[in-house]
Amino acid sequence: MSETNPAATSEVAAPHRYTAATAAEIEARWQDFWDAEGTYAAPNPKGDLAGDPEIAARPKKFIMDMFPYPSGAGLHVGHPLGYIATDVFARFQRMTGHNVLHTLGFDAFGLPAEQYAVQTGTHPRVSTEANMENMKSQLRRLGLGHDKRRSFATIDPDYYKWTQWIFLQIFNSWYDHDARRARPIAELVAEFESGERPVPGHTRAWSELSAAEKADVLGEFRLAYASDAPVNWCPGLGTVLANEEVTAEGRSERGNFPVFKAKLRQWNMRITAYADRLLDDLEELDWPEAIKLQQRNWIGRSEGARVDFPIDGERITVFTTRPDTLFGATYMVLAPEHPLVEKFTPAAWPEGTHEVWTGGHATPAEAVAAYRAQAAAKSDVERQAEAKDKTGVFIGAYATNPVNGEQVPVFIADYVLMGYGTGAIMAVPAGDQRDFEFARAFELPITCIVEPTDGRGTDTSTWENAFSSYDAKIINSSNDEVSLDGLGVVEAKARITEWLESKGVGEGTVNFRLRDWLFSRQRYWGEPFPIVYDEDGIAHALPESMLPLELPEVEDYSPRTFDPDDADTQPETPLSRNEDWVNVTLDLGDGPKKYRRETNTMPNWAGSCWYELRYLDPHNSDKLVDPEIEQYWMGPREGQPHGGVDLYVGGAEHAVLHLLYARFWSKVLYDLGHVSSAEPFHKLFNQGMIQAYVYRDSRGIAVPAAEVEERDGAYYYQGEKVSRLLGKMGKSLKNAVTPDEICAEYGADTLRLYEMAMGPLDVSRPWDTRAVVGQFRLLQRLWRNIVDEETGEVTVVDAEPDEETLRALHKAIDGVRGDLEGMRFNTAIAKVTELNNHLTKAGGAVPRSVAEPLVLMVAPLAPHIAEELWRKLGHTDSVVHQDFPVADPRYVVDETVTCVVQVKGKVKARLEVSPSISEDELEKVALADEKVVAALGGSGIRKVIVRAPKLVNIVPA
């Protein structure tokens, strides 16, 4: 920065001027004061954090930021945007009579620390804790009003004890679809034991089943279960990934390695059981519509029918949204990974198999194996792409179309995914373009079952593409028992579904795009599963008394990685190398036995699924959360039927992952009676991004933004012309500005004001260090209006303000109050600036009755200078808990307003009138005005349109 920067102005001429040095001293002193006094401690209604009962009796506000990850790179000025916003809002809520819970912890498990450990040998805990200390220091300097008693990190054993405990509640639960809620698995076992519920897949009684058989049955019901399932295996990272962690190009989001489909035994969460409730409960949440839409699309509800196609004495089940097109199904397609493929693939090709169906292979098994390997190398997105060349292979078996008895060949093709529906489709090439292209490529029949309305006719051999319409009539769709011919789509769907149900070969049903949540990671730095396996491989939950199961030490932190392109590999976890920890003898209630621990760890999402609850009661070692405390802060109330956090601020990038997972955990805990809130976050606000210009040289390499010069509209670095593009801010882009830099040059209050004044909070905006000085000057003028720069004495007087000043004050109070409540912080700052400028221009000493409310209005936005000025004005208590000023309505309304009078659409007069003037009175005043009389020139009046108090439009005869 230049030496002429006003923040660094010499204090010799004005020893008590507000400078960067003054700001630094004030801010450090008040931050120490707040910590020492526990200024931001929010009292619970009971327990170890109970406090002043008078404050606890106030209406509550629970305000949260999304969990930060403590990066080794530290913060740049883009990171604190949301933290400052929630702090301003929380301070305003305290000043309007609320008990405000506002704190911040750290989401500290995860891959970055583990990768750093692999590279340097530094234990992940050591690097993570160092990062947290650095981040705490940076955040403290911003003057954030957090209740630090409530802070924690997910890596604290006292915290992840309860993450493990919640996992066990989910493991020991099942979803009762009749009751629409989770119930303890013990209640399901009791129903099996009593015979009230038949044991699926068995003719024997529950008591006659072996322990392994019972475990398998319960595994089909548990909300947390282990299964052999297709997963996204990333050899380059040595771990499996959730669908959401794989890019559209089929590569890992972290590291950009190839991802393959593989079958592994993994832990899953049965989030699909909650699909309907996750959709329904969105309606009552105060979330951005765009986020709700993303969640709805991810869950993907669709209505249709389940249809069974008989094959070799068994059946292939499909889900279709168009059961009315069943008569046009001329072949079937299974996903290459479908478990029935091997079952129905014969040793030899059936006689007369079409050559183009075989892929050139001698046997069906060879064809299937080759095609599966080809499909495994593609991502789900690639497989769903609208490629012109459709690929697939006949498995050598035929199924029966249940509506017409025709034998339809069964193929595998990569455009069908196991992740949607049943992983099998009935192909109707006349009505679906992908099926049409496949049928053309493999010379399969195309039956017209919807009467075309575009003049093409019903001879499909002449068609160039499929035809589908909800307005067309059904044709060629009848058998001896049911006919759809001539019906519209809606009626045809209902009729065929009724027939399918009557025949026991199908039923109307609802399907979801949502898949169960893959919950295992082959990593070290995560929560250990509280699960052990006996010698028969049966999973057992650890009792609560054995929690937390702490993460053990290992010598090698890295999961075994492989050649990124080698799909034929298997995970090897870091924990599996610690044999003393893995193989244990435990007494789980039936005597000491040998067990093997689970060596996967939980994903980094686990700790952030429930952290809002720990903020409420962070030191409770006996319960997840005290019910009375949870009810107080998060329980349902008017306008919040599902309960939850009052305000949750964070980036829109968490629209699906974190938010959907946290909602699922909340619902399970709610069903089991552990919490009163069925939703974790009632109001969600997505802040925009602070962007920065990225400058690149001719090689495309980023150069230091701070060293770029602008000349004649072009940009130069070390004499070479460079390009400029607005983008993200970050160290790698060499355009990062740290909050420490700005705080050192201007002070934290200036940084806070600048970030809030840049524009609407939900809009992205470019950072401009040169513009920061504008907010610094506002604070200097504020200081000068109250403090003599020469003596340091307060200059306010006890005189009454003039009416113009009273109007300026109360309009500002009214506007700032509304803006802060609506999180319109940029316009609130504009109104404060306007009032402050009015006082500066008015000259003379500022009346105390104006100075004090001005300081109180500034307090949420720039708390350090507000505290200092409040103290200088003679108060001994903190500004934090003062009442926010209330506007006098007499001064908020203008004494007069300007009314425009038009004749023939042209302005002829401007009248100063009362804001409350009636339309009749305004018409009389306008018609009597001499300029209006002159404009009319004696002509009659056909019509007078009055919009009191601002407009009169006169239409002459």
Side-chain angles (χ1 to χ4, degrees):
M1 290 290 175
S2 165
E3 291 182 7
T4 60
N5 188 322
T9 302
S10 169
E11 298 182 18
V12 176
H16 296 281
R17 177 171 296 170
Y18 184 79
T19 64
T22 309
E25 187 275 325
I26 289 171
E27 289 165 2
R29 177 157 41 82
W30 281 107
Q31 287 160 19
D32 290 342
F33 173 87
W34 294 329
D35 284 350
E37 296 295 316
T39 302
Y40 304 108
N44 277 346
K46 61 181 290 191
D48 69 316
L49 298 186
D52 186 340
E54 188 178 320
I55 296 177
R58 296 174 180 174
K60 62 86 193 179
K61 285 287 181 184
F62 184 5
I63 298 166
M64 269 181 64
D65 299 281
M66 286 191 182
F67 232 2
Y69 183 82
S71 165
L75 299 177
H76 59 62
V77 290
H79 291 123
L81 179 67
Y83 305 147
I84 295 170
T86 53
D87 187 62
V88 172
F89 189 71
R91 289 175 181 278
F92 173 72
Q93 293 297 327
R94 288 190 193 94
M95 296 178 76
T96 51
H98 294 85
N99 182 20
V100 177
L101 194 168
H102 187 217
T103 189
L104 194 71
F106 296 93
D107 191 10
F109 276 125
L111 197 54
E114 185 171 287
Q115 290 178 325
Y116 185 73
V118 172
Q119 293 163 9
T120 66
T122 307
H123 194 287
R125 180 175 290 279
V126 173
S127 60
T128 300
E129 289 179 346
N131 294 344
M132 284 193 291
E133 288 307 310
N134 180 49
M135 191 168 173
K136 286 177 185 176
S137 174
Q138 287 186 295
L139 292 173
R140 184 180 188 271
R141 194 168 182 181
L142 298 175
L144 302 178
H146 293 147
D147 184 347
K148 295 180 180 177
R149 306 169 305 162
R150 298 175 183 268
S151 186
F152 55 80
T154 54
I155 60 175
D156 300 339
D158 286 346
Y159 179 82
Y160 70 72
K161 164 188 176 179
W162 295 105
T163 307
Q164 292 171 336
W165 182 87
I166 296 172
F167 173 83
L168 292 180
Q169 306 313 301
I170 299 172
F171 175 72
N172 284 318
S173 302
W174 63 291
Y175 196 80
D176 185 337
H177 286 277
D178 294 331
R180 291 199 83 213
R181 67 180 181 88
R183 293 172 54 193
I185 202 78
E187 295 179 8
L188 179 65
V189 172
E191 291 183 13
F192 287 148
E193 287 176 336
S194 67
E196 177 185 347
R197 180 183 293 266
V199 181
H202 292 275
T203 55
R204 291 170 291 153
W206 181 256
S207 59
E208 296 173 1
L209 301 186
S210 68
E213 288 173 322
K214 290 178 179 178
D216 287 343
V217 170
L218 295 180
E220 294 298 316
F221 287 85
R222 293 187 189 273
L223 288 177
Y225 65 95
S227 69
D228 292 317
V231 296
N232 300 307
W233 166 235
C234 181
L237 288 177
T239 189
V240 300
L241 302 172
N243 289 338
E244 300 84 351
E245 295 172 308
V246 182
T247 68
E249 292 72 37
R251 304 180 77 85
S252 62
E253 195 173 49
R254 186 174 294 278
N256 197 37
F257 292 110
V259 175
F260 303 93
K261 288 294 182 185
K263 188 170 282 190
L264 298 170
R265 191 159 188 81
Q266 302 290 312
W267 282 98
N268 297 273
M269 292 277 181
R270 208 178 298 275
I271 190 173
T272 49
Y274 282 83
D276 266 325
R277 284 172 59 186
L278 289 167
L279 272 177
D280 295 344
D281 291 355
L282 278 172
E283 298 304 319
E284 300 290 346
L285 299 182
D286 185 3
W287 286 19
E289 279 304 316
I291 301 296
K292 288 185 178 182
L293 180 61
Q294 286 184 66
Q295 291 230 338
R296 290 188 188 105
N297 289 343
W298 192 262
I299 295 167
R301 187 181 194 275
S302 54
E303 294 186 14
R306 175 187 60 75
V307 184
D308 295 333
F309 282 68
I311 178 171
D312 294 344
E314 298 190 45
R315 65 188 179 191
I316 296 174
T317 301
V318 302
F319 169 80
T320 176
T321 59
R322 294 291 305 272
D324 55 299
T325 65
L326 256 168
F327 285 90
T330 58
Y331 66 98
M332 298 188 74
V333 182
L334 302 181
E337 310 89 344
H338 200 294
L340 293 179
V341 172
E342 286 103 336
K343 194 169 194 176
F344 298 133
T345 300
W349 294 115
E351 188 175 344
T353 296
H354 198 317
E355 187 177 342
V356 75
W357 295 1
T358 68
H361 294 278
T363 67
E366 291 175 17
V368 166
Y371 189 79
R372 278 182 154 178
Q374 176 185 325
K378 293 183 181 180
S379 71
D380 286 357
V381 173
E382 287 175 310
R383 288 170 56 171
Q384 290 282 284
E386 296 292 335
K388 289 255 177 162
D389 297 328
K390 287 291 180 284
T391 64
V393 69
F394 178 46
I395 70 167
Y398 290 83
T400 303
N401 186 327
V403 297
N404 56 20
E406 291 184 3
Q407 296 294 290
V408 294
V410 181
F411 287 76
I412 56 173
D414 59 14
Y415 75 93
V416 176
L417 306 176
M418 274 307 295
Y420 182 76
T422 64
I425 67 162
M426 58 175 218
V428 183
D432 181 274
Q433 187 60 27
R434 290 181 308 173
D435 293 348
F436 182 89
E437 291 167 0
F438 191 95
R440 281 279 194 262
F442 288 86
E443 301 176 18
L444 290 156
I446 300 174
T447 302
C448 178
I449 34 78
V450 175
E451 186 170 19
T453 56
D454 58 1
R456 68 173 67 189
T458 60
D459 181 1
T460 60
S461 66
T462 65
W463 289 12
E464 295 182 3
N465 49 42
F467 174 82
S468 181
S469 171
Y470 268 81
D471 299 323
K473 299 296 183 184
I474 304 296
I475 60 174
N476 299 330
S477 298
S478 64
N479 60 29
D480 293 341
E481 297 177 352
V482 64
S483 175
L484 310 182
D485 293 342
L487 299 180
V489 170
V490 174
E491 190 179 354
K493 286 170 73 171
R495 184 172 295 182
I496 194 64
T497 300
E498 182 182 352
W499 183 85
L500 291 168
E501 290 175 346
S502 72
K503 290 296 186 181
V505 291
E507 63 179 349
T509 188
V510 174
N511 193 56
F512 295 92
R513 176 178 179 268
L514 182 67
R515 298 295 92 197
D516 281 346
W517 171 18
L518 177 68
F519 201 71
S520 294
R521 295 296 183 274
Q522 292 67 48
R523 297 174 185 158
Y524 169 70
W525 194 231
E527 297 91 339
F529 282 92
I531 294 288
V532 292
Y533 299 92
D534 63 23
E535 292 177 330
D536 295 322
I538 298 171
H540 297 265
L542 291 181
E544 187 177 333
S545 61
M546 291 186 182
L547 302 182
L549 173 60
E550 295 198 30
L551 197 60
E553 297 298 320
V554 296
E555 292 183 5
D556 181 1
Y557 304 115
S558 58
R560 184 182 174 194
T561 58
F562 303 88
D563 178 337
D565 296 308
D566 187 357
D568 296 324
T569 47
Q570 292 280 319
E572 180 186 296
T573 62
L575 288 181
S576 64
R577 302 178 196 130
N578 189 328
E579 293 191 10
D580 291 341
W581 183 82
V582 173
N583 300 302
V584 289
T585 299
L586 301 173
D587 186 348
L588 301 184
D590 53 355
K593 292 183 180 178
K594 291 181 179 180
Y595 295 95
R596 178 178 54 82
R597 296 195 191 278
E598 172 63 71
T599 60
N600 287 314
T601 53
M602 298 186 198
N604 59 304
W605 308 104
S608 60
C609 275
W610 72 281
Y611 70 117
E612 71 283 355
L613 297 172
R614 194 61 175 173
Y615 283 153
L616 309 182
D617 197 9
H619 310 132
N620 196 331
S621 58
D622 299 322
K623 290 181 179 176
L624 177 74
V625 59
D626 183 282
E628 186 179 334
I629 294 172
E630 187 273 336
Q631 171 73 45
Y632 173 85
W633 288 110
M634 289 186 63
R637 61 205 66 219
E638 187 176 355
Q640 297 177 210
H642 302 303
V645 173
D646 296 290
L647 176 65
Y648 193 40
V649 175
E653 65 271 16
H654 295 290
V656 173
L657 294 173
H658 158 60
L659 291 173
L660 200 60
Y661 296 159
R663 294 181 65 214
F664 166 55
W665 278 37
S666 282
K667 292 186 184 304
V668 177
L669 292 171
Y670 171 79
D671 287 354
L672 298 177
H674 298 300
V675 297
S676 65
S677 48
E679 286 283 344
F681 314 115
H682 171 69
K683 180 177 176 65
L684 175 69
F685 189 98
N686 297 129
Q687 87 272 14
M689 181 188 298
I690 289 184
Q691 299 169 306
Y693 287 108
V694 183
Y695 299 89
R696 297 184 184 276
D697 62 20
S698 58
R699 301 166 298 168
I701 296 174
V703 302
E707 299 175 30
V708 172
E709 297 177 350
E710 181 181 358
R711 298 199 300 269
D712 301 325
Y715 303 93
Y716 297 86
Y717 172 68
Q718 295 181 349
E720 180 193 349
K721 193 173 182 179
V722 294
S723 65
R724 183 180 84 153
L725 189 67
L726 193 61
K728 288 185 176 182
M729 182 179 285
K731 276 194 171 182
S732 63
L733 298 173
K734 298 183 181 177
N735 62 356
V737 179
T738 70
D740 301 30
E741 295 173 57
I742 303 301
C743 288
E745 300 207 41
Y746 293 102
D749 281 339
T750 295
L751 173 62
R752 291 170 61 103
L753 281 176
Y754 177 66
E755 295 216 357
M756 294 298 97
M758 291 172 75
L761 184 60
D762 58 348
V763 175
S764 294
R765 72 296 301 268
W767 176 267
D768 183 0
T769 299
R770 294 169 299 179
V772 177
V773 69
Q775 298 307 317
F776 182 74
R777 288 186 176 125
L778 165 62
L779 295 181
Q780 284 188 309
R781 286 192 291 271
L782 171 66
W783 181 270
R784 226 172 5 246
N785 279 330
I786 297 173
V787 178
D788 187 303
E789 293 183 333
E790 297 292 336
T791 66
E793 296 300 314
V794 170
T795 58
V796 301
V797 294
D798 290 327
E800 285 296 313
D802 59 47
E803 184 154 331
E804 186 182 358
T805 298
L806 275 173
R807 289 192 179 281
L809 171 66
H810 287 281
K811 280 186 178 181
I813 291 172
D814 182 62
V816 171
R817 178 183 274 266
D819 286 344
L820 292 181
E821 183 65 53
M823 299 178 71
R824 298 182 297 272
F825 304 128
N826 58 320
T827 53
I829 292 169
K831 292 178 175 71
V832 167
T833 304
E834 188 177 348
L835 174 61
N836 198 52
N837 288 345
H838 168 84
L839 298 176
T840 301
K841 290 174 185 174
V846 176
R848 177 178 290 274
S849 59
V850 177
E852 291 194 346
L854 174 58
V855 169
L856 292 173
M857 280 189 279
V858 168
L861 296 153
H864 308 90
I865 194 172
E867 286 278 26
E868 188 71 9
L869 292 175
W870 191 248
R871 184 61 58 94
K872 284 183 177 292
L873 286 166
H875 301 281
T876 56
D877 47 357
S878 168
V879 75
V880 169
H881 294 289
Q882 298 304 307
D883 291 336
F884 198 84
V886 177
D888 186 331
R890 292 177 302 167
Y891 298 109
V892 172
V893 179
D894 288 328
E895 195 170 20
T896 63
V897 296
T898 301
C899 174
V900 173
V901 183
Q902 296 178 332
V903 178
K904 290 185 180 179
K906 294 182 178 180
V907 177
K908 295 299 180 180
R910 286 183 169 83
L911 311 175
E912 294 299 315
V913 299
S914 166
S916 59
I917 192 170
S918 69
E919 291 192 353
D920 289 343
E921 182 65 25
L922 183 57
E923 181 177 339
K924 290 176 184 176
V925 171
L927 292 174
D929 184 83
E930 59 183 28
K931 292 180 181 177
V932 173
V933 172
L936 288 169
S939 60
I941 297 171
R942 182 157 59 91
K943 190 175 185 181
V944 179
I945 301 167
V946 182
R947 297 287 182 266
K950 292 189 175 182
L951 176 68
V952 176
N953 192 7
I954 302 169
V955 182

